[in-house]
Amino acid sequence: MVLLQSVVAFVFMERHWQTVTQRLSASVVQDISAVIDMIQTYPDPAGEYAEVTRIARERLALNVLVLPPEPLPAPAPKPFFNILDGILSEEITRQINRPFWIDTLGESRIVEIRIQLPDHMLRIFAPRNSAYASNSHIFLLWMVGTSLVLILIAILFLRNQIRPIQKLAQAAEGFGRGQPMPPDFRVRGASEVRRASLAFIQMRDRIERQIEQRTQMLNGVSHDLRTVLTRFRLQLALLEENEDRQELEQDVDEMGRMLEGYLAFAKGEGGEEVGELDLERVFARFESEASLKGRSLETDLVGDPRISVRPDAFVRCLGNLVANALRHGNAVRLSARHDDRWLSVSVEDDGPGIEPTQREDVFKPFVRLDEARNIDAGGTGLGLAIARDVARSHGGDILLSESSLGGLKALVRIPA
């Protein structure tokens, strides 16, 4: 709207206003030129030229004074923006081509023009509106006024249309973080926005039903498989103590760990509600666990320790990263920075690290490295996959890079 009105105003100024002013000025200069021709064609020995001044006043609306010769006043400074001054000067030069002086400044309704003739000084007072389109500002005022009204209406209308889109974006972002539906969210706005809101609500309901059905199915599978493992353990308990029994018990224990890892990865933490988590307590817990294993864990926390996440899922994410670092390094540094926009948690160690070409592969389920650093040694290769799944469910991600300690650095970034 502003661009349109600017173009209209520019075109009006350049085409209409200037053209009208040029034509009016040309007409006034033609009348002055006619007066000069009468003075030169019919000279008055007395020098009064009463008939010429009468005709100019009654027929041409010009107040003309024929004075004795005298020098022109000093040129006045040219105004920065005055269409009348430039156009009127051009027309006098083009049609009369004699020395002249004009005064178009001020708020006066009269324009004074002085023209130097061979034997006289001609002084003319012309109405300003006869040489200048003085009522053009009315059009500009109407245009600006109506533009402001239309812009105000457009802003109010667009705000009412954009607000439902913003609410939809907030609801979608909250759903990606596992947060409940905002209480003030409802279907409203234009028909397209209403359809998008209904599609989002239906999609959310389908996803929640699918998660609930999968969780129920996995709970049933978990119960059945644990029952079988329990029978295995009972049968092994009845066997005599020998080397075969120990190997079978190890196999059963490994099967139990694998089962728990598979179910944890497939089930996820989608059903957990968002709550407040204190990072200081979590870091203290990791420190005590590291000291029990005889490892060094250095922690650093900057910012508010309280964060809004799914507590169990996020603790498991950090726990997998810390456990992996303690498994492959002797010195581990755990640091966090919490500002208004992001929570960044980094886990660094002095272990063998991971090659840059393999850093993305280790996040794939069941992938285990056979080189110096074997992710989840003794596990199922799901630790980093579960950690990244938790981070992404909070709207963030996990990035691997080289640590300043010489090993691997895992950086968790989620929106605050």
Side-chain angles (χ1 to χ4, degrees):
M1 182 68 68
V2 173
L3 180 61
L4 174 62
Q5 297 300 332
S6 300
V7 172
V8 171
F10 176 77
V11 172
F12 174 80
M13 290 287 293
E14 289 294 320
R15 300 290 178 86
H16 178 75
W17 197 1
Q18 187 172 0
T19 301
V20 172
T21 301
Q22 185 174 8
R23 292 177 178 176
L24 291 175
S25 298
S27 177
V28 171
V29 174
Q30 288 176 358
D31 294 341
I32 296 175
S33 179
V35 171
I36 294 176
D37 288 344
M38 286 191 296
I39 293 175
Q40 293 179 344
T41 303
Y42 304 102
D44 187 357
E48 296 181 357
Y49 295 96
E51 291 298 322
V52 173
T53 56
R54 182 186 64 79
I55 294 173
R57 182 175 59 255
E58 295 179 358
R59 304 299 181 184
L60 304 177
L62 298 176
N63 191 358
V64 177
L65 296 177
V66 181
L67 303 176
E70 61 180 19
L72 294 172
K78 296 292 183 181
F80 178 74
F81 181 77
N82 192 334
I83 294 179
L84 177 59
D85 188 280
I87 294 178
L88 190 59
S89 299
E90 292 177 0
E91 291 296 327
I92 294 176
T93 302
R94 184 177 64 86
Q95 297 188 37
I96 300 177
N97 195 20
R98 290 183 178 277
F100 68 92
W101 178 89
I102 60 175
D103 182 13
T104 60
L105 301 179
E107 300 296 330
S108 174
R109 296 182 180 181
I110 301 298
V111 175
E112 181 180 357
I113 303 172
R114 298 186 185 184
I115 300 177
Q116 194 172 45
L117 300 178
D119 299 325
H120 304 282
M121 171 66 68
L122 187 62
R123 190 175 184 182
I124 305 103
F125 295 93
R128 193 181 189 91
N129 56 8
S130 64
Y132 177 67
S134 58
N135 60 345
S136 300
H137 66 280
I138 299 177
F139 172 78
L140 294 177
L141 291 176
W142 272 101
M143 184 179 66
V144 173
T146 53
S147 300
L148 293 177
V149 173
L150 290 176
I151 290 175
L152 179 61
I153 294 174
I155 290 175
L156 296 176
F157 177 78
L158 289 177
R159 286 186 61 184
N160 290 332
Q161 295 301 318
I162 291 175
R163 191 178 293 112
I165 300 177
Q166 294 175 336
K167 293 294 183 182
L168 177 60
Q170 294 175 0
E173 184 179 1
F175 178 62
R177 298 181 184 181
Q179 299 175 355
M181 185 81 76
D184 58 343
F185 179 77
R186 63 180 186 273
V187 178
R188 60 178 181 174
S191 58
E192 295 82 1
V193 181
R194 289 175 177 268
R195 287 199 297 269
S197 301
L198 288 174
F200 167 73
I201 294 175
Q202 294 172 358
M203 178 194 69
R204 181 186 178 107
D205 293 340
R206 287 195 298 268
I207 293 175
E208 289 179 345
R209 285 197 302 268
Q210 182 182 5
I211 294 175
E212 184 179 359
Q213 292 173 359
R214 189 182 66 173
T215 302
Q216 293 176 354
M217 181 190 69
L218 292 175
N219 287 335
V221 172
S222 174
H223 179 268
D224 294 341
L225 293 179
R226 284 171 179 157
T227 301
V228 175
L229 288 177
T230 302
R231 288 205 301 267
F232 285 170
R233 289 191 175 95
L234 290 175
Q235 292 175 3
L236 289 173
L238 297 176
L239 296 178
E240 296 180 358
E241 188 73 29
N242 53 37
E243 185 176 352
D244 294 337
R245 174 183 170 181
Q246 293 178 358
E247 292 179 356
L248 289 174
E249 287 179 347
Q250 293 177 359
D251 292 340
V252 171
D253 292 339
E254 184 178 358
M255 186 181 297
R257 290 195 303 270
M258 292 174 62
L259 175 62
E260 294 296 333
Y262 295 154
L263 292 177
F265 176 74
K267 179 181 177 181
E269 304 290 345
E272 186 182 1
E273 296 293 335
V274 176
E276 187 177 279
L277 178 65
D278 192 344
L279 287 179
E280 286 184 346
R281 295 184 179 181
V282 176
F283 283 13
R285 170 185 161 186
F286 289 156
E287 287 180 351
S288 62
E289 292 177 355
S291 62
L292 292 176
K293 297 179 181 179
R295 301 296 179 88
S296 172
L297 176 61
E298 178 187 351
T299 61
D300 180 32
L301 177 60
V302 178
D304 190 357
R306 297 168 298 177
I307 58 175
S308 295
V309 292
R310 293 195 291 272
D312 293 341
F314 195 72
V315 170
R316 182 170 189 175
C317 170
L318 297 183
N320 288 350
L321 297 177
V322 172
N324 182 69
L326 292 174
R327 185 179 299 114
H328 300 285
N330 295 320
V332 178
R333 182 165 60 204
L334 175 62
S335 58
R337 181 176 298 274
H338 187 200
D339 53 27
D340 295 336
R341 298 185 58 188
W342 291 93
L343 168 67
S344 302
V345 182
S346 63
V347 182
E348 302 180 68
D349 61 61
D350 60 350
I354 300 177
E355 294 295 329
T357 56
Q358 295 179 322
R359 287 172 185 169
E360 196 64 26
D361 295 335
V362 297
F363 288 108
K364 298 178 182 179
F366 311 112
V367 171
R368 300 171 63 184
L369 301 183
D370 294 329
E371 280 76 11
R373 187 173 185 119
N374 191 346
I375 301 297
D376 283 337
T380 59
L382 293 172
L384 289 179
I386 293 175
R388 171 169 274 190
D389 184 66
V390 172
R392 287 182 172 177
S393 68
H394 285 82
D397 203 353
I398 298 179
L399 301 176
L400 299 181
S401 61
E402 186 176 352
S403 171
S404 59
L405 300 178
L408 183 69
K409 176 181 178 181
L411 177 62
V412 182
R413 279 174 58 87
I414 63 172

